[in-house]
């Protein structure tokens, strides 16, 4: 692996919709995309420009979600994570109800050449710090596919533990998504 140059972790800005699109498409081309994301490359690439503009704008303007990116000195995005705020009583993306106000980390992706360099940790630190700055937030969680050992290993090292909650993978009910929560809430 080449030495890691300087980078910054920061929230996405609304005008960066093209970079948001490119990062998502790169993530969906990753070999583990079928078990890491609930969307296919073909679906995402067919989405119109307006979809991507709205998505990027929502991350900057809407206090219910924030996407963080690690940006290299050359302006290239090395990775990203999105943090969604889930309100108590809300029906969530997997259809399970939330009984507490919580943050949900989704869309985790770091380019292969930057994995193991500290970028993922920096992204998670920024996302968790933002989540914990929100009033009334009770916990930080994420879901991970049972077959995604690489992601599970990182999440454990970062301090996430399995809560015991599981959900059937949409479209593949024979497989499970494990809920993991950050220790020390």
């Amino acid at each position: 692996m080449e030495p890691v140059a300087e980078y910054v972790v920061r929230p996405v800005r609304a005008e960066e919709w093209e970079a948001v699109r490119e990062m998502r498409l790169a993530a969906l081309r990753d070999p583990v995309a079928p078990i890491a994301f609930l969307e296919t490359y073909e679906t995402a690439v067919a989405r119109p420009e307006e979809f991507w503009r709205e998505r990027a704008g929502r991350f900057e303007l809407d206090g219910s979600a924030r996407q963080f990116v690690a940006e290299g000195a050359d302006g290239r995005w090395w990775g990203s994570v999105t943090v969604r705020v889930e309100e108590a009583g809300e029906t969530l993306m997997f259809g399970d109800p939330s009984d507490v106000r919580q943050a949900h980390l989704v869309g985790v992706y770091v380019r292969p050449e930057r994995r193991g360099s500290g970028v993922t940790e920096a992204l998670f630190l920024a996302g968790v710090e933002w989540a914990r700055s929100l009033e009334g937030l009770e916990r930080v969680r994420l879901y991970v596919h049972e077959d995604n050992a690489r992601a599970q290993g990182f999440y454990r090292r970062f301090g996430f533990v399995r809560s015991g909650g599981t959900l059937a993978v949409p479209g593949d009910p024979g497989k499970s998504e494990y809920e993991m929560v950050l220790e020390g809430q």
Side-chain angles (χ1 to χ4, degrees):
M1 179 184 315
E2 67 183 71
V4 176
E6 294 284 323
Y7 66 91
V8 297
V9 174
R10 62 170 181 78
V12 167
R13 295 182 292 268
E15 68 271 9
E16 296 175 310
W17 67 270
E18 290 173 295
V20 167
R21 180 181 188 271
E22 189 280 328
M23 178 60 61
R24 181 65 172 190
L25 294 178
L28 292 172
R29 285 189 297 266
D30 190 278
V32 299
I35 63 171
F37 298 98
L38 299 176
E39 178 178 42
T40 66
Y41 176 84
E42 292 75 20
T43 300
V45 78
R47 294 190 187 277
E49 178 180 315
E50 189 57 31
F51 171 87
W52 299 104
R53 287 182 179 277
E54 287 176 15
R55 185 177 185 140
R58 184 173 58 246
F59 292 140
E60 182 177 12
L61 304 173
D62 183 349
S64 68
R66 185 75 35 100
Q67 182 178 7
F68 293 89
V69 295
E71 181 179 36
D74 61 358
R76 185 166 191 240
W77 289 6
W78 294 356
S80 72
V81 65
T82 299
V83 184
R84 297 185 61 235
V85 176
E86 300 171 331
E87 300 296 340
E90 178 182 347
T91 299
L92 307 176
M93 73 182 202
F94 287 112
D96 61 326
S98 176
D99 55 352
V100 297
R101 186 167 197 252
Q102 61 193 358
H104 186 168
L105 279 66
V106 298
V108 180
Y109 177 70
V110 173
R111 295 184 191 277
E113 67 272 18
R114 299 298 178 198
R115 293 178 188 154
S117 68
V119 170
T120 311
E121 289 87 347
L123 287 163
F124 266 58
L125 285 170
V128 168
E129 181 179 298
W130 177 76
R132 287 185 169 160
S133 75
L134 302 172
E135 188 174 320
L137 196 79
E138 294 189 35
R139 68 183 192 152
V140 177
R141 73 171 185 160
L142 54 80
Y143 280 96
V144 61
H145 192 284
E146 67 181 76
D147 294 336
N148 196 342
R150 180 182 76 199
Q152 287 181 51
F154 170 78
Y155 301 149
R156 279 192 302 275
R157 286 189 304 278
F158 194 84
F160 282 87
V161 296
R162 288 198 35 205
S163 70
T166 61
L167 294 170
V169 173
D172 189 2
K175 293 290 186 172
S176 295
E177 291 271 343
Y178 301 141
E179 181 187 53
M180 298 183 79
V181 296
L182 193 56
E183 285 189 310
Q185 293 294 303

